Amino acid sequence: MSQPAAIHLADYQAPAWQVLETRLTFELEPSATRVTTVLTLECNPDAAIGSDATPPLVLNGEHLTLERVSVDGRVLASDEFTISETHLTLDGLPARCELETVVVIDPAANTALEGLYVSSGMFCTQCEAEGFRRITYYPDRPDVMSVFTTTVIGDKAHYPILLSNGNPVERGELEGGRHFVTWQDPHLKPCYLFALVAGDLVKHADSFTTMSGRDVALEIWVEPENLDKTQHAMTSLKASMKWDEEVYGREYDLDIFMIVAVNDFNMGAMENKGLNIFNSSCVLANHDTATDAAFQRVEGVVAHEYFHNWSGNRVTCRDWFQLSLKEGFTVYRDQSFSADMNSAPVKRIEDVAMLRTAQFAEDAGPTAHPVRPASYIEISNFYTLTIYEKGSEVVRMVANLLGKEAFRRGSDLYFAQNDGRAATIEDFISAMSEASGRDFTQFMRWYAQAGTPEVAASGVFDATAKTYTLTLRQTTAPTPGQNEKLPLVIPVRMGLVSADGHDLPLVLEGASLGSESVLELTEAEQSFVFTGIEHAPVPSLLRGFSAPVKLGFDYSREQLAFLMQHDSDGFNRWECGQRLALAALEDLMAAFQRGDKQAHLDERLLAAYRFLLTGEPTDRAVLAEMLTLPSEAYIAEQQAVVDVDAIHWARKTAKAQLATVLREEFVALYHANEQQGEYAPTFEQMARRSLKNAALSYLMGIEDKEGMRLAQAQLAAAHNMTDVRAALTLLVHSSRTELGNPALKAFAERWSHDPLVMDQWFAIQVTRPQADVLDRVRFLMEHPAFSLTNPNKVRALIGTFAGQNRVNFHRIDGEGYRLLADVVIELNRLNPDIAARIITPLTRFKRFDAARQALMKTELERIRNEKLSRNVYEVVEKALA
Ligand code: B3K
Ligand code: ZN
């Protein structure tokens, strides 16, 4: 088999042809849709060869059956063009011409869910990154931007609703029970932002008046049974539109903004111009069916896609290497929005926790890549945590280095300079630089260098000189293909905390900096000498997680407990609590490894928890975070060789000991946070629910009688899915199968009609810690509600098992690995994008002991023997390299 080739950023060349106008006509039939495309083409003057000869026009096209090609009205003979499995090439075209192609495609057979496909009887599209080439022949690259006019023709009874980008300009009836709608999008856009939807849908309609007083129609289109799940998305959309006006000065630019919910979708959602298409899991929510976490996800994803209208659509990417230009920036924007709508400290804690487990693991693994990769085989594999989350951290550093005003001036300038253009990361940074006068030359390394930097900090107090010298050293370990690492610009926000718990005034080289400062570490090693320090302080470092690095400082456990109580930075109070918990968990892991199962939890952690439960009342949402022990995935990230059994045992044991000692406090906490009055998806109520359910989880950790009773009562009362799911999960994960199994059965009977609720039903079962879970996973794969062609089901059942049930996925008999490999092999044929994502846990074999490494490699090799899609090929080759 010929091996797929890599594409390199260094080879970028501007397009030889531009498309001035795109006119599309779709005659929809599930198995044979005809697409007629008329392109007004113009040869780029710089690309002309000789005086009047034009370069060849090379169009992308895959899985298309070509019926006809004509140029300026003349049908071409078959020897007048070249056609391959991936391209249509035409030579000797006039410098300006009109090209018409007619192709037939098979949306019903499209299980890859890229291009035009059928989901639950409706037509929908997903074109980013390279799906448009599965719809028609086109220069499928983001730097070719055009205006689009789209006519959608379909059977009126089956597809009463016909949608595309922009504004509807004409509609009418046709013979044979068909009808049509023509949509016109006046904004220049690349074809990856094209969208089409046709189906039997109903809408939730509302409107928004923009800051300049224009009325925008807002429409959320869903299947009829989901209409009662659209209010939260609508509220979130309006809040996003307002926020983007207030915070970034960005106004919406069409008369209509639509969202459509579809059940089969590879990602969360897609920002198509004026017609966002959403995975139903990221738009539908009501309190009976969705948890608070799902409500927050809906709010965040609706905002993210809406924000793309400027950061992504009005200003798009020159090429896919620049993906983080739109994704990193837009994630930063949606994180800031969610922080403003909810609790800013909790949002930061959640985002950092995710970054440090999943993104740091990616950055240390075989597919590590810079925020701007230098090469790829399959671009779909690069919609990663590094591009999104680390990319957002890089923008956050820019924002924090510049300060609010200068950052806003910079973003205004960026939008003004690049509106209607396909831009690069340099364009973004140069606007920031121009607006602030700051030099970003060294900072650009954040975009080019993969791997998580480690910053080792140490401090020396000199009582005689009254100085505190803080030394910071940075290193970044080699990553695949990048051995040499250069020093980065690392902003370290910090303070020095006195023995009585106050921030000391900071004086550095004679300059008074106030109680907090941002040190800029730019060299491999730097020392900062603070003067006028009377007594040894405790440094509080990397406040707010001011840079995406691993920070090491040799804190004593007493110092951690002290900072957990006294640090003025909320993020660092949480962080120090987590560090203290981690140290205590590591003690238990060591005990487990030497066979001592009687070991006791460090008293200092017990004392810290007692303080949290009985001390000054803190913000409920933050308290719930502080009462949560580091996740198994995070603990694993800290180990040289991951010992899944020791981690699982230590965490379980710590929880049980905390619950035993602090039982009364947890019972009291539960009751203090029971819901009073009507349910509302407010932040205040969500915080109470998470605190109450955290308390319940501790009590269930010892299968406490009262805890059992509370869990059963909570499940029976069934006020909302957050409480139902929490209680059901705890019962199902307990040893009491006589309670868990009937509860699961009743739940399935009640919710079998609702696919999003059934996803939760799958996830709850496959995270069960008991060893019987693997049989359960295989059994559930045969369940009528499961389907390998639905990505949400695959994620709920297989992704959740392999990603979250670590102790069972990594079973030493290799059965967990075998199961995942079996699924990857099937999905490789059905949906390569999902196959290449779901395989991730297998690719991280280097983190485990020799026996598990061998088992995981065997499965990867078994996969390698298949005829692989580009997606899976790239991941497997990199993993086994
Ligand atoms: N831009 C889309 C991602 C599409 C990925 C396709 N493989 C979603 C988002 O980031 O908003
Ligand atoms: Zn995005």
Side-chain angles (χ1 to χ4, degrees):
M1 188 179 74
S2 74
Q3 290 179 354
I7 299 168
H8 296 269
L9 168 59
D11 295 341
Y12 174 82
Q13 284 194 322
W17 291 84
Q18 276 299 344
V19 181
L20 302 181
E21 204 188 326
T22 303
R23 279 174 287 154
L24 301 165
T25 304
F26 289 79
E27 295 162 75
L28 297 174
E29 282 295 337
S31 299
T33 290
R34 177 170 290 105
V35 186
T36 304
T37 304
V38 180
L39 304 180
T40 308
L41 294 160
E42 190 173 69
C43 180
N44 179 348
D46 312 335
I49 45 176
S51 54
D52 44 30
T54 57
L57 173 73
V58 184
L59 302 176
N60 304 93
E62 293 175 15
H63 306 277
L64 309 174
T65 306
L66 181 66
E67 289 195 339
R68 197 173 70 228
V69 192
S70 37
V71 173
D72 292 329
R74 185 180 72 83
V75 178
L76 301 190
S78 63
D79 61 355
E80 291 182 279
F81 55 88
T82 323
I83 191 158
S84 74
E85 280 198 352
T86 51
H87 293 94
L88 171 66
T89 307
L90 296 114
D91 265 307
L93 292 174
R96 190 174 168 135
C97 59
E98 202 172 85
L99 173 81
E100 186 190 64
T101 57
V102 181
V103 301
V104 175
I105 54 180
D106 185 354
N110 181 351
T111 57
L113 312 185
E114 285 191 0
L116 180 69
Y117 62 95
V118 178
S119 170
S120 307
M122 68 198 255
F123 285 92
C124 60
T125 53
Q126 171 56 37
C127 296
E128 187 178 359
E130 298 178 335
F132 197 71
R133 63 188 60 183
R134 300 177 64 129
I135 293 177
T136 188
Y137 287 104
Y138 203 82
D140 188 0
R141 44 187 291 169
D143 54 356
V144 172
M145 301 173 81
S146 163
V147 289
F148 282 66
T149 304
T150 305
T151 298
V152 189
I153 302 169
D155 179 81
K156 194 169 181 179
H158 284 100
Y159 314 109
I161 303 302
L162 306 171
L163 309 174
S164 190
N165 316 84
N167 302 306
V169 292
E170 202 186 337
R171 63 178 73 232
E173 309 288 320
L174 297 168
E175 80 291 350
R178 298 188 309 162
H179 69 147
F180 78 95
V181 182
T182 299
W183 293 81
Q184 214 162 49
D185 182 359
H187 294 280
L188 284 178
K189 70 165 179 289
C191 64
Y192 82 85
L193 291 172
F194 170 80
L196 178 157
V197 170
D200 190 359
L201 302 168
V202 294
K203 72 176 167 191
H204 175 166
D206 204 331
S207 70
F208 180 81
T209 306
T210 69
M211 58 187 182
S212 71
R214 279 189 311 103
D215 274 334
V216 179
L218 307 179
E219 301 182 348
I220 301 182
W221 291 93
V222 297
E223 294 165 288
E225 66 270 28
N226 290 325
L227 199 56
D228 63 346
K229 296 181 186 160
T230 53
Q231 185 54 53
H232 188 60
M234 185 61 87
T235 308
S236 305
L237 174 60
K238 286 159 72 177
S240 310
M241 295 177 88
K242 186 140 188 58
W243 188 90
D244 213 17
E245 291 184 346
E246 286 171 354
V247 181
Y248 282 86
R250 300 295 111 199
E251 187 174 1
Y252 186 63
D253 53 6
L254 284 165
D255 299 333
I256 179 167
F257 183 84
M258 296 172 283
I259 288 177
V260 182
V262 309
N263 293 324
D264 302 276
F265 205 73
N266 285 349
M267 308 276 289
M270 178 64 211
E271 69 266 23
N272 316 301
K273 184 76 188 189
L275 178 55
N276 286 190
I277 297 183
F278 271 61
N279 186 324
S280 51
S281 71
C282 292
V283 58
L284 302 178
N286 73 29
H287 70 270
D288 283 331
T289 60
T291 60
D292 291 338
F295 270 78
Q296 299 208 314
R297 187 169 65 242
V298 167
E299 180 182 71
V301 178
V302 166
H304 179 97
E305 306 310 332
Y306 174 72
F307 296 156
H308 268 316
N309 189 55
W310 275 95
S311 50
N313 301 2
R314 290 287 288 251
V315 181
T316 191
C317 300
R318 187 193 73 172
D319 55 73
W320 292 121
F321 297 100
Q322 320 295 327
L323 182 57
S324 195
L325 173 67
K326 74 177 177 80
E327 296 305 345
F329 186 24
T330 304
V331 171
Y332 174 67
R333 279 151 56 70
D334 85 58
Q335 289 177 345
S336 313
F337 167 77
S338 293
D340 284 353
M341 296 296 123
N342 302 287
S343 148
V346 169
K347 178 65 182 151
R348 189 68 187 135
I349 287 167
E350 288 169 353
D351 291 338
V352 171
M354 206 253 274
L355 183 86
R356 290 202 299 204
T357 48
Q359 195 280 325
F360 281 16
E362 178 172 279
D363 231 349
T367 59
H369 54 276
V371 172
R372 179 163 57 189
S375 74
Y376 58 77
I377 290 178
E378 170 52 61
I379 186 57
S380 298
N381 288 339
F382 284 76
Y383 287 76
T384 59
L385 292 156
T386 299
I387 304 292
Y388 278 68
E389 310 298 322
K390 187 176 181 180
S392 164
E393 293 300 318
V394 174
V395 174
R396 183 182 296 273
M397 286 191 284
V398 173
N400 289 341
L401 287 169
L402 261 52
K404 224 182 173 130
E405 278 86 43
F407 182 70
R408 170 65 193 270
R409 283 198 305 277
S411 73
D412 284 352
L413 193 59
Y414 167 68
F415 289 125
Q417 291 175 335
N418 297 287
D419 193 6
R421 284 191 62 228
T424 61
I425 284 169
E426 278 78 9
D427 293 325
F428 179 76
I429 293 296
S430 105
M432 291 296 162
S433 175
E434 200 181 321
S436 65
R438 194 186 159 97
D439 179 2
F440 280 94
T441 312
Q442 186 187 356
F443 187 88
M444 284 301 287
R445 289 177 189 163
W446 277 108
Y447 286 103
Q449 208 162 273
T452 305
E454 295 189 31
V455 175
S458 58
V460 176
F461 171 64
D462 182 334
T464 327
K466 299 191 186 351
T467 58
Y468 183 79
T469 304
L470 183 69
T471 300
L472 303 174
R473 282 180 209 88
Q474 62 164 306
T475 50
T476 304
T479 51
Q482 246 187 13
N483 286 325
E484 298 300 316
K485 303 285 182 181
L486 299 168
L488 296 159
V489 179
I490 300 181
V492 179
R493 191 148 72 81
M494 52 79 65
L496 296 177
V497 185
S498 67
D500 62 355
H502 291 99
D503 282 336
L504 292 169
L506 301 177
V507 181
L508 197 60
E509 290 168 11
S512 289
L513 308 174
S515 62
E516 186 172 90
S517 172
V518 179
L519 307 177
E520 285 184 34
L521 175 63
T522 56
E523 288 159 37
E525 175 173 338
Q526 268 165 273
S527 289
F528 301 88
V529 184
F530 296 95
T531 51
I533 308 287
E534 302 281 342
H535 304 283
V538 183
S540 164
L541 303 170
L542 208 68
R543 284 179 167 173
F545 202 66
S546 59
V549 302
K550 292 184 189 169
L551 182 110
F553 184 88
D554 194 12
Y555 287 112
S556 69
R557 295 190 195 189
E558 285 72 17
Q559 287 176 322
L560 290 173
F562 170 79
L563 287 177
M564 189 195 90
Q565 295 181 28
H566 297 293
D567 201 313
S568 61
D569 182 63
F571 177 85
N572 267 12
R573 281 200 300 278
W574 169 80
E575 167 67 358
C576 290
Q578 294 287 297
R579 283 178 187 243
L580 180 61
L582 185 66
L585 289 163
E586 282 170 348
D587 293 347
L588 291 178
M589 286 160 60
F592 176 88
Q593 284 161 342
R594 45 168 207 272
D596 170 13
K597 296 215 179 162
Q598 306 305 316
H600 284 288
L601 186 63
D602 189 335
E603 280 295 331
R604 287 163 289 196
L605 186 64
L606 281 169
Y609 261 63
R610 183 169 289 117
F611 165 82
L612 289 174
L613 289 168
T614 58
E616 298 271 297
T618 17
D619 177 327
R620 282 194 181 85
V622 175
L623 182 57
E625 294 293 342
M626 295 192 77
L627 289 175
T628 306
L629 291 170
S631 67
E632 290 189 16
Y634 181 69
I635 304 168
E637 265 308 285
Q638 318 310 312
Q639 309 301 304
V641 177
V642 179
D643 182 341
V644 282
D645 297 310
I647 292 172
H648 183 69
W649 182 84
R651 198 170 182 280
K652 194 172 89 176
T653 303
K655 244 181 126 171
Q657 293 193 15
L658 286 163
T660 307
V661 176
L662 297 164
R663 184 183 173 281
E664 297 313 316
E665 286 80 358
F666 282 121
V667 173
L669 185 69
Y670 183 93
H671 290 302
N673 288 284
E674 276 176 303
Q675 185 180 322
Q676 279 122 19
E678 279 298 288
Y679 168 94
T682 60
F683 185 69
E684 155 67 14
Q685 276 202 13
M686 290 188 190
R688 279 181 180 272
R689 283 191 282 276
S690 65
L691 206 43
K692 177 185 69 178
N693 288 319
L696 189 59
S697 153
Y698 277 97
L699 295 172
M700 287 295 284
I702 48 171
E703 303 204 356
D704 178 82
K705 240 195 176 145
E706 176 65 0
M708 281 287 178
R709 195 188 65 74
L710 290 172
Q712 285 177 280
Q714 182 170 316
L715 182 61
H719 283 304
N720 58 75
M721 185 52 84
T722 306
D723 285 345
V724 168
R725 181 170 176 171
L728 180 62
T729 303
L730 291 169
L731 289 170
V732 171
H733 291 191
S734 79
S735 62
R736 305 279 299 275
T737 45
E738 78 282 9
L739 298 179
N741 287 346
L744 272 175
K745 191 157 170 274
F747 187 93
E749 276 161 14
R750 165 136 196 232
W751 293 111
S752 60
H753 62 280
D754 189 316
L756 295 176
V757 181
M758 291 306 281
D759 289 344
Q760 305 184 58
W761 184 75
F762 285 124
I764 290 168
Q765 298 179 67
V766 302
T767 40
R768 183 173 149 79
Q770 283 79 354
D772 58 9
V773 70
L774 214 112
D775 296 334
R776 179 92 63 117
V777 176
R778 292 228 184 243
F779 174 76
L780 289 173
M781 284 175 70
E782 305 298 322
H783 191 278
F786 180 76
S787 161
L788 262 187
T789 55
N790 175 259
N792 286 356
K793 292 284 172 285
V794 173
R795 280 186 279 259
L797 186 63
I798 310 297
T800 307
F801 170 68
Q804 289 177 37
N805 198 336
R806 302 175 65 93
V807 50
N808 286 301
F809 173 67
H810 292 284
R811 263 166 58 154
I812 195 63
D813 64 1
E815 279 301 318
Y817 306 148
R818 210 158 299 141
L819 181 138
L820 181 57
D822 288 345
V823 172
V824 169
I825 288 169
E826 278 202 64
L827 277 175
N828 170 60
R829 289 188 282 268
L830 293 168
N831 186 331
D833 184 31
I834 298 297
R837 288 178 187 280
I838 207 98
I839 196 177
T840 304
L842 273 181
T843 67
R844 304 278 166 78
F845 60 83
K846 290 202 177 107
R847 304 281 291 113
F848 295 86
D849 53 84
R852 287 185 172 85
Q853 284 202 20
L855 290 164
M856 292 165 99
K857 273 205 268 197
T858 304
E859 296 306 324
L860 284 171
E861 277 153 10
R862 183 158 72 89
I863 295 169
R864 177 152 69 173
N865 287 334
E866 295 284 314
K867 183 177 180 320
L868 291 182
S869 59
R870 275 219 309 273
N871 308 56
V872 178
Y873 171 86
E874 176 169 37
V875 175
V876 171
E877 286 304 315
K878 285 179 177 171
L880 290 173

